[in-house]
Structures are given as C-alpha cells and as structure tokens.
Amino acid sequence: MANQDFHTENKVTPSSKIIEEFLNYLLTIKGYSEKSAQSYRYDLIIFFRFIKRYFAMVPQSLDFDAIPIDDVSIDDLKAIDLGILYAFLSFTSKERHNSDYARSRKVSSLRSFFNYLCNKQKYFSPNPVTDLEMPKLPARNARYLEWDEAVDLLKGINGRHKERDFAIITLFLNCGMRLSELTQIKISDIKNDTIRIIGKGNKERTIFLNHACLKAINRYLLVRQESDSPYLFLSQQNLPISNRAVQHLVKKHLANCGLNTDEISVHKLRHTAATLMFRYGNADLRSVQEILGHENVSTTQIYTHVNEETLRDTLNQNPLAQFERED
C-alpha cells in the first residue's frame, strides 16, 4: 500500500498558530528554506491530528485527514510523553504505511519542535523528546552512474540548447551540487575558477571549478541569449531556468543515451559526482563533505561504497593471496 503521507494536504493546508510560530523560527533564525519548512509543517499536522484522536478530542469516526488542528494548545502538548510519541510512530507505520525513512524524518521534526517549545520558548518541562530514539535505518547504497555511463551521457547531449545542457550536466557530474543550488547560480557567483553556492539553510560555500566545468560554462556563455537576468542558466523564454525544466532536460538526455530514467534522476547525478571523487580522485571524506555541502559527515559516507572488482583486487593484493601449502 502506498505511503499515505504523500497524498494528503493537496488542497487546503490546516493552520495552527503554534506550528506557524515554530516555522517562523526555522525560517528567520535557523535559515531553513521554504521547502524544508513545508516538510516540518506537514509532519506536525499529522502529529497534531494524531494527538487529537489519541486524546479523544474528536469523534473516532471522523476522517483522519479532516481533523482540524487549530485548537491544539500548549496544555495539550504538555501532556505528551515518550509513550505517546512511540504510539504516534507506530501509527505512522501501521496505518499510514510510512517507510523507515519517513518515520525517521518525523522523529527529526518532533525533536526540533519540542526542543523549540521546551528549550527556546520554555513553555513546559520536561522535554518529551529527550530520550526519543531514531528508527534504525537499513544500510543503503546510493544509485549512481558508472564512469563510462557518465561519459556516454555527456557525449550524447545534443539539440538546440546543447551548450547550456552540457554545462548543466557537467556541473552536476563534477561538482555534485543540488538541483536548487544549480538553478540559483548567478553569473556574478563565478570568480576565476571558483563558484559561490547557496545551499540548504542559505549556507554559503565555495566550490573550485575544474577544467571541464570552466570550459563548459565559457562555451555556454558564448551562445547564451542576451538578457537582463543575473542568473547563469536561462530558459527558452529568456527567464531563469526552473527546477522542473532542468529535471526534464536531464531525463531527456538520459533517455537519449539509453539510461533508465526510473533509476537515474538529477539527484543521482550528485551521487555520481561523489562516487567518482572517491573512486578516481582519492578524495578524503571531509573534502567531499565540504564540496557537497553536507552538514553531517555520516550523510557523505553513503558514497564511499566500493564495487565488487575493487574488493576482489584488494583481497588479491594480500601478500598471502598466492600462498599454497605444500604437502
């Protein structure tokens, strides 16, 4: 059954003064993006509806997605304890069919929310999330393009906007930037062989551009239409290119060179860049973390996977690999 948390809140978003105050804190003080704040909003709406049903504040027959949340008070939240939080996570798993990763995100949302209520606003204590554990997540390997697949993708780029598309995909494959970071690049962000990137939470970082990136950008600038727009990449309408347009062009070029567009997406090009840095660039973990803009190094570690041939070669290089006992 599909994860229900991807199919609700499509029409009218319920409001809660408490939630909105928390989101304002995230946006203005913590510097979170609107997209990140929206994820927190959604998780907390689900949680508020759950506690109203849990405390029998609404008829049990009322459809869950129709439960209003504007009347949830600080006193209601003060009554939350660890057992209720675990009951909520069980509910999201059994009734809303959330994956381990979706439940992990909800734990993060609850931690941030109650830390704000208890530690920042000091509305009440004790803090119910103090001992709330994260769900155990299965180990995962990031899907990525092999080196020859990446080369085929670049070689196959053609069409009316080939210089622009080549520059975009070259930056993805070499710099590992996020989609939202690429579409926000301004021409003024490029200084000699560096580019300024505004990442998650409006955090700024500088990435060095290699020869391939510089050449691709310069070739694109030679044919870039004249525009008053400060943004580097423009659409056919001479406007800043949108995230959706970039997703579309990447999917088109992936399909043109025979790659599975169900498995490979824009974000998988970021995975590819990180993997190639580790496999061929002898990069250390901290350097790749800095390039990708990861806040936590554990996020970067999923890219340190090695293929079977590397494992085989490593074992064969053991000085005892050729030892045979003579009877």
Side-chain angles (χ1 to χ4, degrees), residues 281-300:
N282 297 317
D284 65 271
L285 197 60
R286 294 292 181 182
S287 296
V288 177
Q289 178 190 7
E290 179 69 23
I291 293 170
L292 297 181
H294 284 153
E295 187 171 339
N296 195 318
V297 73
S298 63
T299 309
T300 316

Side-chain angles (χ1 to χ4, degrees), residues 17 27 60 82 96 99 108 111 154 158 161 221 290:
K17 182 179 178 182
L27 290 167
Q60 294 298 304
L82 192 58
R96 299 192 72 81
S99 67
S108 295
R111 281 178 168 178
L154 289 168
N158 217 319
H161 302 289
L221 288 175
E290 179 69 23

Side-chain angles (χ1 to χ4, degrees), residues 85-86 88-90 92-93 98-111 131-139:
L85 295 177
Y86 284 138
F88 170 66
L89 294 176
S90 176
T92 61
S93 176
N98 280 190
S99 67
D100 292 337
Y101 295 104
R103 286 187 291 112
S104 178
R105 191 191 75 181
K106 284 180 171 57
V107 169
S108 295
S109 295
L110 290 172
R111 281 178 168 178
D131 295 318
L132 182 62
E133 300 173 83
M134 296 290 287
K136 186 175 181 179
L137 299 178

